[in-house]
Amino acid sequence: MTHDHDHDHDHDHDHDHDHHHDHGHPHAHPHPTREDDDLELTYGEAKFIALRAMLIEKGVVTADEVRRRLEINDRAGPHQGARMVARAWLDPDYKARMLGDGKKAAIELGIQVTEAEVMAIENTPDVHNLVVCTLCSCYPRSLLGEPPAWYVSKAYRSRAVREPRKVLREFGLEFPANVEVRVHDSNADLRYMILPLRPAGTEGMTEEELAALVSRDCLVGAALPGPMPG
Amino acid sequence: MTDRLITDVGGLPADAVPREEVPQLFWEKHMIAMFNVLWSKGVFNLDEFRRTVESMPLDAYKKSRFYDRRTDGMTDLLVEKGIIDRAELEARTQAVLRKGTRDAD
């Protein structure tokens, strides 16, 4: 597992000594290579910077705790959900366990799950499933990472439950009338992920090859598995 | 539908879903991690956080950004619990803005 070194920009140089490459380099200048640093400091970001400093001073959190959590969050992403899907496609016993308890099935693959409960829902030739969180942004982040902007948009939250076929059409998915479209509303205690249908012509593919077919949007039902375009 | 919570938008009419990919900024990711730490340490729970969002004035909610709602809600709870002084936070926020860099002090 390689680190993506986001924490190098954590600006804790006064307090931390685990950044050996930062020694003698007191960060008096901005980081020219960090794209975010080119963006103007907003009120929201400034408020977070101040809040974090205050909470560290008061001992409510430590910089290290926050950074460690950031590293855990960084390991989450749709590649984790895709691993589960690929395993389920190859191993009917795993698939049964995954549909029985999504969280346990994730842990079985060594994925650190921070959600209370995860339910995997299987697409079939007769039923296509779509996930939404109408109230906000509940999402199985451990398995899918941070939700895309469209998922948290008010337009998606409003429309997915009323006109899912129309929304899916906007995403380029059209289902015949005999395929039922079911919508699942996630909440803080129960978050859904989709187990898509294995595409035809993928017999003989390895688990890794299969996982590469499963994009982020497949895992919420807004896309179908397939090779990366281009 | 006057008794709807402001967050309860399911089924309301809305425009096309915006499909643009918006990458998470570092501070947003950093803030979420801090939110997660506070929550897992039991400083507040998700239901309390949801209540801060649900009690926003409708107009403010409509104009608000996703990550700002997180920071603001977290702040409300920390103030409510006597952990953070709102005036001090505001003063320090202004100091960060005046300095114009991403260092806290």
Side-chain angles (χ1 to χ4, degrees):
Chain A
M1 190 79 223
T2 55
H3 291 276
D4 71 3
H5 291 282
D6 272 331
H7 54 277
D8 286 352
H9 300 268
D10 209 19
H11 293 248
D12 290 329
H13 44 86
D14 293 329
H15 319 291
D16 287 328
H17 298 282
D18 54 345
H19 292 168
H20 48 276
H21 48 284
D22 282 348
H23 279 181
H25 177 56
H27 286 220
H29 55 85
H31 303 271
T33 54
R34 170 119 231 146
E35 192 189 340
D36 296 8
D37 279 341
D38 294 336
L39 298 176
E40 203 183 324
L41 191 60
T42 60
Y43 180 83
E45 181 175 359
K47 184 173 176 177
F48 164 65
I49 290 169
L51 182 63
R52 175 173 167 279
M54 285 172 75
L55 290 176
I56 290 171
E57 283 165 19
K58 290 173 193 297
V60 179
V61 298
T62 66
D64 200 45
E65 282 171 336
V66 176
R67 183 172 43 252
R68 279 175 191 203
R69 179 59 194 231
L70 200 144
E71 290 179 16
I72 290 170
N73 290 354
D74 268 349
R75 283 196 286 271
H79 63 288
Q80 302 286 30
R83 279 171 64 207
M84 294 173 69
V85 167
R87 177 70 60 90
W89 283 344
L90 290 174
D91 179 350
D93 292 335
Y94 181 80
K95 177 175 157 182
R97 291 198 295 281
M98 177 172 159
L99 294 173
D101 186 333
K103 181 171 175 168
K104 269 193 197 153
I107 293 167
E108 192 183 320
L109 296 193
I111 301 168
Q112 188 163 355
V113 183
T114 52
E115 286 81 16
E117 203 180 326
V118 178
M119 186 183 282
I121 297 168
E122 183 184 16
N123 282 344
T124 69
D126 303 316
V127 182
H128 179 81
N129 297 280
L130 181 67
V131 181
V132 64
C133 171
T134 60
L135 289 177
C136 181
S137 57
C138 289
Y139 195 74
R141 286 175 170 73
S142 304
L143 314 177
L144 275 73
E146 194 63 10
W150 62 258
Y151 184 87
V152 303
S153 72
K154 293 192 186 85
Y156 181 72
R157 289 163 47 202
S158 301
R159 293 180 52 221
V161 286
R162 183 173 292 267
E163 42 186 20
R165 283 179 194 270
K166 204 171 158 198
V167 170
L168 285 169
R169 216 171 291 133
E170 288 170 25
F171 279 81
L173 295 188
E174 178 98 49
F175 294 96
N178 64 330
V179 173
E180 187 189 336
V181 172
R182 281 188 201 154
V183 181
H184 304 267
D185 199 349
S186 274
N187 60 63
D189 303 314
L190 174 58
R191 297 159 197 249
Y192 300 100
M193 71 172 279
I194 301 300
L195 170 55
L197 270 176
R198 181 171 174 174
T202 58
E203 301 76 12
M205 277 194 178
T206 65
E207 195 170 310
E208 218 164 273
E209 288 166 339
L210 288 169
L213 303 176
V214 183
S215 69
R216 175 195 70 195
D217 290 2
C218 295
L219 296 163
V220 285
L224 297 180
M228 283 253 282
Chain B
M1 291 284 195
T2 50
D3 54 353
R4 257 182 195 266
L5 289 171
I6 56 169
T7 52
D8 188 11
V9 301
L12 294 179
D15 295 334
V17 176
R19 295 291 305 284
E20 196 191 344
E21 293 292 329
V22 185
Q24 198 180 23
L25 299 177
F26 180 70
W27 83 264
E28 295 169 339
K29 179 163 145 161
H30 200 181
M31 185 271 293
I32 292 288
M34 190 171 88
F35 182 98
N36 293 152
V37 169
L38 290 167
W39 158 48
S40 59
K41 286 179 122 179
V43 176
F44 53 75
N45 66 42
L46 286 181
D47 297 317
E48 288 177 299
F49 169 68
R50 235 183 32 221
R51 192 246 304 149
T52 66
V53 178
E54 287 165 359
S55 56
M56 285 172 76
L58 180 60
D59 198 45
Y61 176 72
K62 281 185 173 167
K63 287 185 201 146
S64 63
R65 291 182 65 252
F66 178 76
Y67 290 102
D68 289 334
R69 286 199 295 274
R70 282 280 150 149
T71 320
D72 293 346
M74 176 160 62
T75 301
D76 290 349
L77 294 172
L78 292 164
V79 169
E80 225 175 85
K81 291 168 190 288
I83 297 170
I84 288 290
D85 178 75
R86 199 183 288 280
E88 187 191 346
L89 174 61
E90 177 57 24
R92 292 185 62 158
T93 303
Q94 292 304 332
V96 171
L97 283 170
R98 271 197 306 278
K99 200 172 169 210
T101 70
R102 287 175 163 81
D103 298 302
D105 39 41

